[in-house]
Amino acid sequence: MSTSVFGPENMAHIHWVNFTGAGSASDSFNNSSISDPSTGAFSVTMSQASDSDKYCISYCGMDTSAASSSRGIFGSQINSTSQYTLNTRNPDGNEKDQAHNMTTVIGGI
């Protein structure tokens, strides 16, 4: 008989946020703040830290005024167990704040 790995002691930390190109959250779960320190850069602080700095970040972004020029994540940096930075660019390689951004983080198992 096998033992289940599911249960409160094995739960993943989940965070998600939808935010604008100005860094304003339109909807979020387990995040305390978003900042826009420079063009094409966003810093997200999670309200509940992960058990470690080993977590997965997924991101999608688009600019509805020019959808053909939108591009997803250029890079991400895990700063700590409770903060990460996203960098976004358009296809010509220049940093760009996308109008609509969605990110999900899963970690802690």
Side-chain angles (χ1 to χ4, degrees):
M1 191 167 8
S2 64
T3 305
S4 173
V5 295
F6 297 102
E9 68 280 0
N10 295 309
M11 296 290 287
H13 291 272
I14 299 173
H15 308 268
W16 55 265
V17 62
N18 295 336
F19 59 98
T20 67
S24 297
S26 55
D27 201 4
S28 71
F29 178 73
N30 276 341
N31 292 289
S32 60
S33 68
I34 302 168
S35 63
D36 185 5
S38 62
T39 301
F42 299 98
S43 182
V44 180
T45 302
M46 300 177 277
S47 58
Q48 179 184 8
S50 179
D51 290 343
S52 73
D53 62 359
K54 293 175 177 58
Y55 48 85
C56 177
I57 303 168
S58 65
Y59 169 82
C60 176
M62 67 184 250
D63 184 347
T64 55
S65 66
S68 64
S69 69
S70 297
R71 181 176 243 178
I73 193 167
F74 163 69
S76 64
Q77 177 177 335
I78 296 173
N79 301 328
S80 68
T81 59
S82 62
Q83 187 184 63
Y84 60 95
T85 302
L86 302 169
N87 296 100
T88 59
R89 293 186 178 197
N90 57 20
D92 65 8
N94 294 321
E95 288 83 7
K96 177 173 177 43
D97 287 346
Q98 302 295 343
H100 302 282
N101 302 274
M102 291 88 30
T103 183
T104 303
V105 172
I106 299 174
I109 52 175

